[in-house]
Amino acid sequence: MKLLASVFLVVVTVTTILSVAQAQSVCLPLPRLLAIHPMGGRVGSTFDVTIEAENMEDPGPLMFDHPGIQAVPKRDANGGLIPNQYTLTIAPDCPVGLVEARVLGRLGISSARIFSVGTLPELTQAAPNTTLANAIALPVPSVCNATVSARAVDYYSFEAQQGKRYIIQCSARGIDSKLDPVTIVADENGQDLVAQRTGDTLDFIAKATGKHTIKIHELTFKGGPGYFYRLSIEEIPLDATLPVYPDRKSTRLNSSHANISYAVF
């Protein structure tokens, strides 16, 4: 009997130790901020944003690592909170570049997501633009926030002047997107003129005056949530050097590199 009691005691002790160890090894899921729509904004502006989050119930404050950007939860007509929506204000003196955004929830603070601050007029893709007929018209200069669909091409149009130089930048990987963008400039009928397949800036000098087309698609035609981008277009002098666009690896507004000159978009 004593032997059985001893064996039982050993079994209970080992089981207890294993149970405690297993309980200690259980971790709460990490809150993740997946996306902010739109992915950027213009200095001196106020606008609404919508977030996508994971492992987060009732997201709380949306916070940025620069004080020039403030967010307040958006409310409906009755004063109730609208889930995942905020009203964002970017101060007129907020420097241009990239900031990190996080959301505070019940399980703690989320992972960071990049948000862009620029000076160009902002547009947002409000409806599918996957055919030449429903191309989004881009003023020069401007930047459009969009998401590419799987097995699809996004179409844009802009008015070009013969002999003028235009730089077209599709920011994606540098702002935490999964997108490997292909950027194409075509004529009014969609016939390709020049393409950029490495994600770099497309430098284009118009050979004719009139409407031109921009096409955006993923390198292997993937798409959907997470495949977002910011498409900017500007006219620059013929002898100007190409601007350097900030990305996650190169700069933060509050970093020691904040005095470097970057393109504004």
Side-chain angles (χ1 to χ4, degrees):
M1 293 293 293
K2 291 183 178 180
L3 178 60
L4 289 176
S6 299
V7 170
F8 177 77
L9 181 60
V10 170
V11 170
V12 171
T13 302
V14 172
T15 303
T16 302
I17 293 173
L18 291 176
S19 298
V20 172
Q22 183 178 14
Q24 291 177 340
S25 67
V26 174
C27 297
L28 294 174
L30 176 67
R32 297 180 61 204
L33 178 58
L34 302 178
I36 304 175
H37 300 289
M39 294 75 71
R42 190 179 189 181
V43 293
S45 65
T46 297
F47 53 96
D48 294 336
V49 299
T50 301
I51 67 167
E52 296 176 18
E54 185 177 70
N55 302 327
M56 182 172 292
E57 297 180 4
D58 300 325
L62 175 61
M63 303 174 294
F64 296 83
D65 66 354
H66 192 280
I69 308 174
Q70 298 293 322
V72 296
K74 189 172 175 60
R75 297 180 180 274
D76 59 26
N78 297 319
L81 292 175
I82 302 176
N84 301 325
Q85 294 189 30
Y86 301 82
T87 298
L88 205 68
T89 298
I90 304 177
D93 59 350
C94 182
V96 169
L98 303 181
V99 296
E100 288 185 343
R102 290 179 173 84
V103 178
L104 183 62
R106 293 181 180 179
L107 297 180
I109 195 164
S110 73
S111 56
R113 184 60 62 195
I114 286 294
F115 186 83
S116 302
V117 178
T119 62
L120 300 185
E122 297 267 342
L123 289 80
T124 299
Q125 179 190 51
N129 56 318
T130 53
T131 66
L132 187 61
N134 60 9
I136 296 175
L138 295 179
V140 181
S142 66
V143 57
C144 185
N145 300 271
T147 300
V148 70
S149 301
R151 300 181 297 277
V153 177
D154 286 350
Y155 286 83
Y156 299 85
S157 66
F158 71 99
E159 294 293 332
Q161 297 293 322
Q162 183 178 8
K164 297 292 186 179
R165 184 184 180 195
Y166 302 89
I167 52 171
I168 299 160
Q169 172 69 22
C170 184
S171 298
R173 286 289 183 177
I175 57 171
D176 290 343
S177 175
K178 299 178 182 178
L179 178 67
D180 290 315
V182 173
T183 305
I184 300 170
V185 173
D187 63 18
E188 183 177 5
N189 299 315
Q191 297 297 313
D192 294 357
L193 300 174
V194 61
Q196 174 55 264
R197 293 182 171 83
T198 62
D200 294 327
T201 303
L202 194 155
D203 192 352
F204 174 70
I205 298 176
K207 295 183 178 180
T209 295
K211 181 181 290 186
H212 285 65
T213 304
I214 300 174
K215 305 177 188 179
I216 302 291
H217 67 81
E218 207 277 333
L219 184 62
T220 57
F221 286 93
K222 297 176 183 178
Y227 290 85
F228 51 83
Y229 61 92
R230 280 169 59 84
L231 177 65
S232 64
I233 180 169
E234 297 180 77
E235 180 189 336
I236 64 172
L238 294 175
D239 58 352
T241 58
L242 281 178
V244 177
Y245 288 84
D247 61 34
R248 175 178 265 286
K249 297 179 181 179
S250 65
T251 186
R252 290 291 184 275
L253 291 189
N254 61 349
S255 72
S256 60
H257 302 291
N259 60 346
I260 298 175
S261 297
Y262 292 101
V264 291
F265 56 94

